[in-house]
Amino acid sequence: MEMDQLVALCRRRGFLFQSSEIYGGLQGFWDYGPMGVELKRNVREAWWRDMVTSQDNLDVSPGAPAAFEMTGLDCAIIMHPQVWKCSGHYDLFNDHLIDCRESKRRYRYDQVLGRWVEAKGKRIFVASDTSGEEALEQTQLKALKFFNLRAKKANELKWEGPLVPLTTVTDFDDVLGPDAKELGTLTEPREFNLMFETNTGAVRDENSRTFLRPETAQGIFVNFKNVLDSTRVKVPFGIAQIGKSFRNEITPRNFTFRSREFEQMEIEFFCRPDTSADWYEYWRDRRYRWYVELGLSSDRLRLREHDAEELSHYSCGTADIEYAFPFLSDGEFGELEGVAHRGDFDLRSHMEGKLIRQGDELVVEQDELGQPKYRGSGRDLTYFDDQTKERYTPHVIEPSAGADRATLAFLCEAYTEDEVPDEKGKPTKRVFLRLHPRLAPIKAAVFPLVKKDGMPEIAREIYKKLKPHFNVFYDEKGAVGRRYRRQDEVGTPLCITVDGQTLDDGTVTIRDRDTLKQWRVGKEDCTAEVQKWLSQ
Ligand code: GAP
């Protein structure tokens, strides 16, 4: 599948629109349309149900080190600015960016690739902000243009080695920027904090400066004690949150994959320090399975453990769950979710002040006067185990997923083309979304075969019986074949058709979106049939 085909379908059938489209759009922001809102809601609801409300805390779940409880929160987007100072986001949540003086475009330093090439006695680095085959093509075309060579003279370009990151280049004077015609137009990299800033209250000054949260996680940490005190949860337990996060990404790209406003589904799981390695493995494997169970094929999905250099300064282990999105080059994967072992970094930072690693220790970072650089809340965020009479700061395992990335991956995986006979038996191309029934925006569509002989009345009656239970759709307009295709395109698993035989024996035809198999059930049994399908 080409990404363009999916993007076109998403627009045509109301899954996703560019934000503020009538004004030319705003880069990095997306609106979910009537079908998209249902799909994303189903993704969120599947996650909440599977991770939170269906968690049985009496018995040990398969693969879990012990029985545990899950609970939820819904925190404010704007939090006290000290939260971001202690979490590290204020100082460290930076990307390096470079500007192009000629094209006025801005790039993420770590995302620009390029190749060294020599021609006509000059050696230059040709940069590209794409990757893989696309970058190779782009650099070839740019080099031909720069050296004023026709395509048939391409052999005069002497390329040196493969694509390498711009970060390996020390002197930018010989760099031809991704959108530049002249050499040396890129600025030196500079740090750029990704948090969106705003002001709270009527006065706009340093004291009223606040931030839109760049992750939902911190709301959970700062409420850890509130949850302990207001419920009867005991370690081990998890707190989940779904909500919007904001990052002023330098290069939002690849449809919703990297947006500036997006939704996260995060769990902070609190456990005894000596059990945390086992809980890390449990969550890593459980989260991977969740995507497979909802339809992501395991050959496009992978679990990648970070190596030591990639680990955050506080983490003893992190794995990314990654998907081979179609906009990536062959062999490339994009992150869907990170599962991180965060130790006691967050709870301690919010108690004591921002921590940094010193050797094997986490210590409070100090300013020039030897005082804590950022003071913590001073609140006691430790846990007292009343059975063992121990007090400790729990360790945290954090499975952190993106609702928009998961939705995009489910859409990519679902996009399918096949050939089916049309009304006259001629094979025609069909596009359909093979979405898991739990995720499908519409669960069933109800059609009368024709708009006469009492069929619409029976179909409407079935629709009305289904509607209180499921999101169902009634359609009586146009040829039935066309109505089926419209439902296939938005991934409706079942179509229920009232036809001539319904008038004789009270049965209706049910058609399966994927196999096109048809069978009959009594018109009274439609609710049970749809329910059966959904609980597969
Ligand atoms: N609390 C940890 C945390 O926020 P992260 O890896 O920065 O970790 C977690 O983000 C998930 O949030 C990512 O795996 C991804 O699914 C989603 N995400 C992050 N940045 C995003 C963006 N700019 N656009 C869409 N989703 C994003």
Side-chain angles (χ1 to χ4, degrees):
M1 186 258 298
E2 295 296 325
M3 199 58 204
D4 292 350
Q5 294 171 295
L6 180 69
V7 173
L9 179 132
C10 283
R11 208 194 166 296
R12 189 172 71 245
R13 297 309 316 274
F15 281 91
L16 275 154
F17 309 122
Q18 210 188 354
S19 163
S20 324
E21 197 188 75
I22 59 168
Y23 289 104
L26 185 63
Q27 225 199 342
F29 297 91
W30 296 93
D31 295 338
Y32 284 81
M35 286 299 125
V37 67
E38 295 297 333
L39 172 62
K40 188 168 150 195
R41 206 187 172 88
N42 292 338
V43 170
R44 283 195 304 250
E45 276 172 12
W47 185 89
W48 192 265
R49 172 143 188 77
D50 296 346
M51 298 300 124
V52 186
T53 49
S54 68
Q55 182 56 44
D56 162 3
N57 66 325
L58 300 181
D59 289 324
V60 179
S61 315
F68 65 93
E69 204 169 328
M70 291 293 296
T71 186
L73 277 176
D74 185 5
C75 304
I77 284 170
I78 297 180
M79 302 174 71
H80 193 292
Q82 198 68 9
V83 169
W84 308 113
K85 292 186 175 157
C86 289
S87 70
H89 287 84
Y90 188 75
D91 283 345
L92 300 173
F93 199 52
N94 298 328
D95 270 346
H96 285 88
L97 61 82
I98 44 176
D99 287 304
C100 176
R101 284 182 284 262
E102 183 190 313
S103 66
K104 307 287 177 239
R105 291 200 52 190
R106 182 163 281 184
Y107 310 95
R108 241 175 78 172
Y109 184 36
D110 61 341
Q111 279 180 352
V112 179
L113 297 172
R115 290 197 283 169
W116 285 101
V117 65
E118 198 180 323
K120 299 184 176 176
K122 190 158 181 62
R123 181 173 177 267
I124 65 165
F125 184 83
V126 190
S128 161
D129 65 340
T130 57
S131 61
E133 281 299 315
E134 213 180 328
L136 288 175
E137 261 170 52
Q138 196 190 359
T139 47
Q140 170 90 1
L141 287 175
K142 281 175 62 69
L144 286 171
K145 229 180 191 162
F146 179 82
F147 288 110
N148 209 2
L149 292 169
R150 287 170 187 274
K152 54 184 179 200
K153 293 268 176 83
N155 58 353
E156 287 186 25
L157 298 173
K158 302 283 175 256
W159 292 100
E160 288 172 29
L163 286 165
V164 289
L166 179 66
T167 48
T168 59
V169 178
T170 45
D171 186 354
F172 281 11
D173 286 350
D174 299 324
V175 174
L176 183 61
D179 299 286
K181 296 192 184 82
E182 307 278 319
L183 285 182
T185 61
L186 296 184
T187 61
E188 287 299 313
R190 61 191 167 88
E191 282 193 298
F192 172 81
N193 193 290
L194 297 185
M195 283 196 292
F196 277 102
E197 282 184 35
T198 184
N199 290 82
T200 310
V203 183
R204 289 186 172 260
D205 63 12
E206 187 55 32
N207 294 330
S208 67
R209 195 167 159 225
T210 46
F211 303 92
L212 304 194
R213 68 180 176 200
E215 60 169 29
T216 61
Q218 297 305 322
I220 301 180
F221 295 124
V222 301
N223 277 295
F224 171 70
K225 207 66 175 179
N226 286 339
V227 172
L228 276 183
D229 294 346
S230 60
T231 65
R232 303 180 73 170
V233 285
K234 293 205 174 313
V235 169
F237 73 97
I239 307 180
Q241 172 160 222
I242 298 180
K244 291 264 182 158
S245 292
F246 301 81
R247 297 183 187 177
N248 197 2
E249 299 283 358
I250 299 168
T251 46
R253 57 165 75 169
N254 292 332
F255 208 14
T256 58
F257 182 81
R258 178 165 291 112
S259 313
R260 290 179 166 141
E261 175 177 342
F262 55 96
E263 216 160 348
Q264 289 187 308
M265 308 186 289
E266 297 199 288
I267 296 171
E268 306 302 327
F269 188 80
F270 301 93
C271 58
R272 268 176 69 113
D274 59 346
T275 60
S276 59
D278 293 340
W279 283 110
Y280 166 67
E281 281 178 21
Y282 168 72
W283 279 108
R284 182 196 61 193
D285 299 345
R286 178 160 173 204
R287 290 301 307 142
Y288 176 84
R289 277 199 315 275
W290 186 78
Y291 292 101
V292 177
E293 281 160 16
L294 282 174
L296 294 195
S297 83
S298 35
D299 60 329
R300 294 187 77 86
L301 192 69
R302 76 174 185 194
L303 193 62
R304 187 180 64 82
E305 288 276 357
H306 284 203
D307 46 37
E309 296 96 76
E310 260 185 291
L311 288 181
S312 314
H313 54 292
Y314 47 78
S315 179
C316 328
T318 293
D320 284 345
I321 300 171
E322 301 178 329
Y323 183 71
F325 285 97
F327 48 76
L328 300 171
S329 311
D330 279 354
E332 280 188 346
F333 284 76
E335 179 186 323
L336 275 183
E337 169 162 353
V339 183
H341 181 302
R342 296 177 68 98
D344 58 7
F345 175 81
D346 306 275
L347 289 178
R348 277 189 55 204
S349 295
H350 288 305
M351 268 192 289
E352 301 167 24
K354 189 189 156 225
L355 298 174
I356 48 165
R357 185 167 287 285
Q358 219 167 64
D360 284 345
E361 297 277 296
L362 282 175
V363 296
V364 175
E365 189 175 359
Q366 298 189 336
D367 63 16
E368 315 78 59
L369 303 172
Q371 294 299 312
K373 185 170 180 198
Y374 300 121
R375 282 182 197 282
S377 64
R379 297 293 175 87
D380 177 10
L381 304 182
T382 58
Y383 175 77
F384 182 69
D385 185 329
D386 51 15
Q387 283 194 323
T388 62
K389 308 291 178 219
E390 283 173 288
R391 181 170 287 285
Y392 58 87
T393 310
H395 275 200
V396 169
I397 311 300
E398 178 190 71
S400 171
D404 306 86
R405 283 203 192 162
T407 303
L408 183 60
F410 289 126
L411 275 170
C412 292
E413 183 79 24
Y415 186 98
T416 317
E417 288 179 1
D418 66 359
E419 261 191 5
V420 292
D422 67 7
E423 281 99 60
K424 292 180 191 133
K426 198 172 125 224
T428 46
K429 189 177 109 180
R430 174 177 78 127
V431 173
F432 68 109
L433 292 183
R434 201 193 276 267
L435 287 167
H436 191 287
R438 285 180 77 189
L439 302 182
I442 299 173
K443 306 304 180 192
V446 187
F447 309 146
L449 182 65
V450 289
K451 239 163 78 182
K452 55 182 185 183
D453 302 335
M455 290 185 206
E457 288 75 10
I458 301 173
R460 281 193 200 132
E461 208 180 294
I462 295 172
Y463 165 80
K464 280 184 184 295
K465 282 209 176 122
L466 288 168
K467 195 71 181 166
H469 307 282
F470 317 105
N471 190 18
V472 288
F473 183 77
Y474 176 80
D475 190 4
E476 58 179 27
K477 287 184 222 97
V480 74
R482 219 166 300 132
R483 281 181 266 161
Y484 281 141
R485 298 293 156 73
R486 284 186 64 77
Q487 293 306 314
D488 289 343
E489 266 200 331
V490 296
T492 308
L494 295 175
C495 289
I496 300 169
T497 306
V498 171
D499 49 25
Q501 197 177 325
T502 315
L503 309 177
D504 297 336
D505 63 8
T507 63
V508 294
T509 302
I510 300 212
R511 167 191 179 269
D512 168 29
R513 171 197 70 199
D514 300 345
T515 61
L516 300 179
K517 250 180 37 202
Q518 302 198 357
W519 65 100
R520 299 195 75 86
V521 298
K523 65 180 183 193
E524 305 300 330
D525 301 327
C526 290
T527 307
E529 193 68 15
V530 177
Q531 187 60 61
K532 191 172 97 194
W533 218 249
L534 288 179
S535 49
Q536 289 179 65

